[in-house]
Amino acid sequence: MTDNKSYLEHMRLTYRPKLPITLRCPVRAVEGAPTQSVADQEAIKAQFPCTYGMPELTFERDDSAMPPEKPFNVGVILSGGQAPGGHNVICGLYDGIKALNKYCRLYGFLGGPNGLVKHRYIEITGDMIEQYRNTGGFDLIGSGRTKLDKPEQFEAGLQILRELNISAVVIIGGDDSNTNAAILAEYYKAHDAGVQVIGVPKTIDGDLKNDHIEISFGFDTATKVYSELIGNVARDCNSAKKYWHFMKLMGRSASHIALECALQTRPNYCIISEEVEARNITLHDIAEEIADIVVKRHDMGMDYGTVLVPEGIVEFVPTMKKLIAELNEMLTNHPEISQLRDTEQNDRVRELLSEENRTVYDSLPDDVASQLALDRDEHGNVMVSQIESERLLSRMVGHVLDMRYEAGEIERIKFKTQ
């Protein structure tokens, strides 16, 4: 059979990531001190009575360790957004279990956690692994964002695990995905199911880390790709010298990406959502700060610049957070609102809002206000990626500059945005 692989494909397949010694030789697990959550210990302990406080595990070399006599089966789930690294986690799982016992099997559940619930799966073979080794994307088994929180979901998943004789499930994903993993682990432990649950941190937010995990894949991918794009835009900006570029970056619940990209690319202004919350400032305050920089650069003869905006900014502004919280409750109690047309939806939302939040809602452009009333995702989050916060802020900055000009505080500034 003719080998049609290119030289590049051969090089990709032969590359082997560097591994720590614990993954290159026989090891034994060593139990350490009991663990505890960073905060809300009593509340979390009450929610996870069977798994809270389990000891920390470390691994030491043990050349006397014997491989398991009986083969075992493992299931793997990709969850959330794709990132280079996901396929190699699966390849590493395959290589690892086959090294222990060549009769072990690896099953991939298709389309994320829902594949476990709906019993959609494939057995991952050596031929498949060689096609996906060292490649990006999550297309080997697909991904999804299904929230696991109902007993019938747990039981349906447990049924297929028993049928396939799976003794461990590996969930590769971010904070919501690892919440799924924690809930599954608690349920399996409470029911003595004999199934281990392992969470592999993959998150663009960079919010899953500890002393052992300095950085997760997903975050590394996103910041490198974004920084290259931002650098290209900044170079174009400095060449054309006529636009202010407002760039929205991923990061719903944290601004780690915006901060890392700012450190790499040095934009003229970068919003850090956590600072906005700590300072208790409004969107108008942010617009005023950006306007100050626009004026200073104008005085230097530079009517252009770059601004980085984390996508979750609206959820960190205290006044917006209150508004979103009330909208969340409103949409839960009145799901028909999301089905109304623009004007009808706006009128109905205003009718139900408290006076304080109605004032904030009315201060937003109609299109942005309607975006806040969109359907939530399966985890109950506002779909912030659909909120055009970068367009909102650029318009607000333009409005601030117009007001300052009309008040005679500044001369007319050419403020064109992209």
Side-chain angles (χ1 to χ4, degrees):
M1 183 175 179
T2 304
D3 185 354
N4 294 319
K5 293 186 178 68
S6 68
Y7 173 76
L8 194 62
E9 288 176 303
H10 278 292
M11 293 300 293
R12 172 178 63 78
L13 290 173
T14 56
Y15 172 76
R16 291 295 181 267
K18 294 180 181 179
L19 298 175
I21 190 171
T22 51
L23 298 179
R24 288 189 280 111
C25 65
V27 297
R28 64 186 179 93
V30 179
E31 290 191 1
T35 56
Q36 68 173 14
S37 57
V38 175
D40 303 317
Q41 287 88 0
E42 292 305 317
I44 295 177
K45 184 177 181 180
Q47 189 169 357
F48 296 91
C50 297
T51 52
Y52 186 87
M54 295 181 73
E56 180 179 15
L57 292 181
T58 56
F59 297 91
E60 296 180 354
R61 181 166 185 150
D62 183 3
D63 291 322
S64 65
M66 299 295 292
E69 294 182 4
K70 294 182 179 180
F72 57 91
N73 299 337
V74 176
V76 63
I77 297 171
L78 292 170
S79 183
Q82 72 273 15
H87 284 158
N88 269 15
V89 173
I90 296 175
C91 292
L93 279 171
Y94 182 87
D95 294 343
I97 65 174
K98 289 295 186 180
L100 291 171
N101 189 309
K102 66 180 181 179
Y103 296 109
C104 290
R105 291 182 169 184
L106 179 63
Y107 293 94
F109 290 98
L110 305 177
N114 199 44
L116 176 65
V117 177
K118 298 296 183 181
H119 300 183
R120 293 197 291 263
Y121 64 90
I122 58 171
E123 181 177 351
I124 296 174
T125 65
D127 289 341
M128 294 169 63
I129 286 295
E130 293 312 311
Q131 293 297 317
Y132 286 91
R133 194 182 296 278
N134 300 324
T135 64
F138 274 11
D139 47 306
L140 172 56
I141 55 175
S143 184
R145 299 180 184 273
T146 300
K147 185 176 183 179
L148 302 180
D149 58 358
K150 299 178 179 65
E152 53 267 31
Q153 292 175 309
F154 307 149
E155 278 301 316
L158 192 52
Q159 178 186 347
I160 191 62
L161 295 181
R162 286 170 173 158
E163 288 180 15
L164 298 175
N165 196 28
I166 288 175
S167 57
V169 176
V170 178
I171 298 178
I172 306 166
D175 55 351
D176 288 331
S177 306
N178 278 275
T179 297
N180 277 343
I183 292 172
L184 277 182
E186 177 68 21
Y187 186 86
Y188 295 161
K189 182 73 172 177
H191 290 77
D192 196 24
V195 178
Q196 293 177 303
V197 181
I198 299 98
V200 177
K202 180 279 313 176
T203 169
I204 55 94
D205 286 325
D207 53 356
L208 285 180
K209 59 182 181 178
N210 54 33
D211 293 340
H212 309 290
I213 305 167
E214 180 180 345
I215 187 173
S216 76
F217 74 93
F219 179 77
D220 180 67
T221 304
T223 52
K224 284 179 178 175
V225 173
Y226 267 139
S227 292
E228 181 179 1
L229 294 173
I230 294 165
N232 291 342
V233 170
R235 178 65 67 182
D236 181 72
C237 176
N238 200 38
S239 301
K241 302 184 186 300
K242 60 181 179 180
Y243 293 115
W244 273 89
H245 295 265
F246 285 70
M247 291 171 274
K248 182 172 71 174
L249 311 180
M250 293 190 297
R252 186 191 76 227
S253 58
S255 299
H256 297 73
I257 280 185
L259 177 58
E260 176 64 22
C261 290
L263 292 172
Q264 291 191 34
T265 62
R266 296 162 61 190
N268 298 110
Y269 189 89
C270 175
I271 300 170
I272 304 299
S273 298
E274 291 83 347
E275 287 186 358
V276 170
E277 185 175 40
R279 293 165 59 195
N280 194 29
I281 63 177
T282 65
L283 286 175
H284 180 75
D285 295 329
I286 298 171
E288 290 278 2
E289 290 185 4
I290 299 175
D292 290 341
I293 294 175
V294 171
V295 172
K296 287 181 181 179
R297 287 182 63 81
H298 172 77
D299 293 340
M300 298 166 64
M302 297 183 288
D303 287 328
Y304 55 90
T306 53
V307 178
L308 303 186
V309 183
E311 68 173 340
I313 179 62
V314 295
E315 291 189 283
F316 280 84
V317 176
T319 52
M320 294 292 291
K321 181 181 288 188
K322 291 180 181 178
L323 171 61
I324 290 172
E326 186 172 350
L327 285 171
N328 285 342
E329 185 176 356
M330 182 190 301
L331 290 174
T332 299
N333 297 330
H334 302 276
E336 73 281 357
I337 290 177
S338 61
Q339 305 301 320
L340 298 175
R341 294 189 175 275
D342 295 341
T343 304
E344 294 175 324
Q345 183 184 77
N346 186 51
D347 291 343
R348 181 58 174 157
V349 167
R350 291 188 73 261
E351 177 186 333
L352 295 173
L353 278 174
S354 63
E355 184 176 351
E356 177 186 7
N357 286 328
R358 189 184 306 123
T359 301
V360 178
Y361 188 79
D362 287 342
S363 69
L364 301 172
D366 289 342
D367 54 344
V368 175
S370 64
Q371 289 167 2
L372 288 177
L374 291 170
D375 287 337
R376 270 44 180 167
D377 66 17
E378 290 182 328
H379 295 276
N381 301 313
V382 176
M383 293 189 281
V384 292
S385 61
Q386 297 187 30
I387 298 174
E388 297 178 327
S389 48
E390 75 284 13
R391 189 181 301 275
L392 168 64
L393 283 168
S394 67
R395 284 159 59 178
M396 292 180 71
V397 172
H399 179 68
V400 169
L401 293 172
D402 288 341
M403 295 297 290
R404 291 185 185 183
Y405 170 74
E406 292 173 6
E409 298 174 6
I410 61 172
E411 62 183 17
R412 176 65 75 181
I413 293 177
K414 186 186 293 184
F415 181 67
K416 299 172 68 177
T417 62
Q418 289 277 14

